[in-house]
Amino acid sequence: MTGKRLLKLVHAGSTAWFVLCAGFLLTLAMRQAGAAWWLIFSLSGYSLVLIFVLVSIYLLAVYRGARRHETEDEYPLTSYPCYKVFYDICPFLGATAGLISGYDVAGLMGHVNMIAFGSLGTTFLVWIILDPAIAFIEMYLPKSRRLRKLRLARIKAEKRQRQMESETLLAELYEKELQSYEKWQPILEPMAEKLARIVADGQGDFCKREKETAQMGAEAWRLGGIACMRRLHEMAMADFVKRSGEKIVDYITIWWDGIGTWRSPALIEILR
């Protein structure tokens, strides 16, 4: 078993012990206040709030530990192995301190009470007060500030590099698309004119018009996929508006539905 995995198990055990001590002290306080067991169990649902807070503290500790693991050079003390061990076992250290300090307490319940108090107090002191304070001081050490500045500059440079690569890729795709448009243009021009006439022909055979439109859509799909179909559709609609200056019902998008990956927006809305 590796040291990191062992520390994770110890940390999980410490957290479970911390929650157990908090639950015990809460139950003991209610008993000392005169609450009956039935009332304590009936209020157990409200203790979920306490459990949520404790789990949140644990998750915060895990997050802080993970962040410091990524930037250990910036946290020379809290990233030191001995400190990590101390941080993980502090609930058990607190329990031991409580047991020793309560050696003269009478009764088993008194000893258990002192153990729980010692564990809870030590864990709260280390995890909530001491550790954040030390980490805050570490952040403003000259070496830590210099390393953090270098790290942020490296992250910024990597982000800029990724952005430049994305822009280059988009430019290449755009260039390829323009080249494809130039290659398709001589073929699509007569098809667009014919499509515009078919759509404008309100007196023709409706089934024949639909069949011819679908055939041209399939031909455009074979020529260049969905991009070619969109280009042909744009050219056909622009040709019709240029010739007549009127708006028409866009039957093309409906008649092309199901060809390749073409989906009609009108039919999608109807299905919804």
Side-chain angles (χ1 to χ4, degrees), residues 169-185 188 224 226-231 234:
L169 179 61
L170 289 175
E172 292 176 355
L173 292 175
Y174 181 71
E175 184 65 25
K176 289 181 179 179
E177 188 175 8
L178 289 180
Q179 293 176 0
S180 298
Y181 285 171
E182 293 176 359
K183 181 180 66 176
W184 297 335
Q185 195 72 13
L188 296 184
I226 191 69
C228 187
M229 293 180 69
R230 289 186 181 131
R231 182 63 175 172
E234 293 172 0

Side-chain angles (χ1 to χ4, degrees), residues 6 20 48 56 87 108 128 158 163 197 203 223 227 255:
L6 179 60
L20 180 63
L48 291 175
S56 299
Y87 181 88
L108 176 62
I128 308 302
E158 292 174 354
Q163 184 177 0
R197 290 196 301 270
Q203 305 298 324
L223 179 63
W255 290 339

Side-chain angles (χ1 to χ4, degrees), residues 74-96:
E74 299 176 22
Y75 298 91
L77 177 58
T78 54
S79 297
Y80 194 65
C82 292
Y83 180 86
K84 291 180 180 180
V85 173
F86 166 75
Y87 181 88
D88 289 334
I89 67 173
C90 69
F92 301 119
L93 294 177
T96 304

